[in-house]
Amino acid sequence: WSSDVCSSDLSDIANSLEIYCAQLAGNLDYLEATDKNASQWDETRTSFQVFNDGLAKNNTSYVVWNEKMEVVDSSNQSIIEDAQLLNLIKRYASEHHDDYWVVNYQKEDQKAKICTYPVLTKNGELKTIQVIKNMNGEISSMNNTLNMLILMMIIGGVISVVCGYLLAGHSLM
């Protein structure tokens, strides 16, 4: 990780990412299905589409990997390259994590939270689920809020000084 920064995180967003991973783990059979249009998947397909729409609204994407580190399924709007996500999986394994692992990821101007979670399927195959939340919108919103707060403090300070000057001037007359 030369120019990348990763650190562990525990927050409401991290909890949401863990929930998304659990929901994807529950849908692995559907994600691996060769014919997702078969009638047996009608209900699952509808609920998964709603789930996928919710991910998109929250600037969140996912990637599901098999044991050979090949992509089994993914959403279209992933903001991080597959090679970087694979590096996180290798780091996850080398650091002996055994549950959800949420990290803050930053490379250049790209900021994200990534949750990595391994799952054993009914067939005994290892799948790794990664959910990626694009944090640029949240960070931009926080920066705008901070700028507005600073501006309001400056305006309030100027008004206080002007009012103090005017009040002091009237009391001296």
Side-chain angles (χ1 to χ4, degrees):
W1 299 98
S2 55
S3 63
D4 308 341
V5 177
C6 285
S7 62
S8 293
D9 177 47
L10 298 170
S11 66
D12 290 339
I13 293 174
N15 291 336
S16 295
L17 295 178
E18 290 174 7
I19 291 168
Y20 292 149
C21 280
Q23 289 174 322
L24 285 164
N27 283 302
L28 278 178
D29 289 341
Y30 172 72
L31 294 176
E32 293 181 309
T34 53
D35 183 15
K36 293 180 182 175
N37 292 323
S39 61
Q40 73 185 48
W41 299 117
D42 286 346
E43 187 176 324
T44 304
R45 183 176 45 255
T46 303
S47 64
F48 191 76
Q49 185 58 46
V50 170
F51 170 74
N52 231 352
D53 292 344
L55 287 178
K57 287 179 186 174
N58 288 310
N59 292 323
T60 305
S61 57
Y62 72 90
V63 180
V64 179
W65 304 85
N66 63 16
E67 291 174 335
K68 298 174 187 171
M69 296 303 162
E70 299 166 336
V71 175
V72 173
D73 193 47
S74 67
S75 54
N76 299 338
Q77 71 273 15
S78 184
I79 58 170
I80 298 176
E81 298 169 6
D82 287 352
Q84 295 300 321
L85 293 172
L86 277 172
N87 285 339
L88 276 177
I89 293 173
K90 291 174 186 173
R91 185 171 162 197
Y92 177 95
S94 70
E95 293 179 7
H96 308 293
H97 294 281
D98 59 355
D99 203 6
Y100 299 97
W101 182 49
V102 179
V103 295
N104 293 322
Y105 176 87
Q106 179 177 344
K107 183 175 182 180
E108 298 163 5
D109 63 339
Q110 190 63 48
K111 294 173 178 67
K113 285 190 188 294
I114 304 170
C115 182
T116 302
Y117 180 59
V119 177
L120 279 176
T121 64
K122 297 173 192 172
N123 303 334
E125 298 172 340
L126 177 66
K127 305 290 183 203
T128 304
I129 299 171
Q130 289 182 307
V131 177
I132 305 104
K133 168 96 172 124
N134 184 344
M135 296 301 293
N136 286 340
E138 282 79 356
I139 291 170
S140 173
S141 179
M142 287 174 34
N143 287 339
N144 289 341
T145 302
L146 179 63
N147 290 339
M148 289 296 289
L149 184 63
I150 291 170
L151 181 64
M152 291 299 129
M153 288 174 50
I154 291 171
I155 291 172
V158 169
I159 290 173
S160 294
V161 168
V162 169
C163 288
Y165 175 77
L166 292 174
L167 290 174
H170 286 293
S171 66
L172 292 176
M173 290 184 186

